[in-house]
Amino acid sequence: MPLVRIDALTADSERLHALGRAVHDALVESIGFPPDDLFQVLTGHDGERSVLRYGQYLGNRDDDLVLVGVTMRAGRTPDEKRALYRRIAELAHAYAGTEPRNVLVTVTENTSVDWSFGDGIAQYAQE
């Protein structure tokens, strides 16, 4: 189960949904997650009441910035992660018009016992 958090500047509901779809499709295609494995938090920032701050470290970004955080269980290869990053950037451009240079992605990995899908149970963990 990936847990996805997307924060985007100048993003209305339509753009947020397009970005969410882009990330989900990339996870299904690149990593092989099931299509119904969907858990996302999508947040738009208007630049006044809600702000994202960014610099130009390792890239040239503008106010079309999208930050994508993916939390998932450990075990993916570096090549799978590279394919995921590339596909997220491609689909964010195709679905939401976001320039690939404005898509910053991080992956955080954890273990099976770090997940509970409800009822206070670690469903993935061996008892």
Side-chain angles (χ1 to χ4, degrees), residues 25-119:
D25 287 355
L27 284 162
V28 170
E29 293 174 22
S30 301
I31 304 292
F33 282 106
D36 66 342
D37 194 350
L38 176 66
F39 297 90
Q40 297 183 334
V41 179
L42 310 174
T43 306
H45 301 272
D46 64 11
E48 293 178 21
R49 292 172 298 166
S50 182
V51 178
L52 289 180
R53 298 179 74 195
Y54 62 93
Q56 301 304 318
Y57 181 74
L58 294 178
N60 181 23
R61 293 168 204 84
D62 59 35
D63 284 347
D64 202 25
L65 179 70
V66 175
L67 303 178
V68 178
V70 179
T71 302
M72 61 184 172
R73 291 187 291 166
R76 279 44 178 223
T77 67
D79 285 341
E80 287 174 312
K81 291 177 187 175
R82 286 184 192 99
L84 175 65
Y85 305 148
R86 183 175 45 255
R87 194 63 178 143
I88 288 173
E90 290 169 353
L91 293 178
H93 186 252
Y95 295 178
T98 301
E99 291 295 326
R101 66 184 169 82
N102 282 320
V103 180
L104 187 144
V105 181
T106 64
V107 169
T108 303
E109 296 179 315
N110 58 22
T111 64
S112 295
V113 74
D114 296 316
W115 296 93
S116 173
F117 295 91
D119 294 322

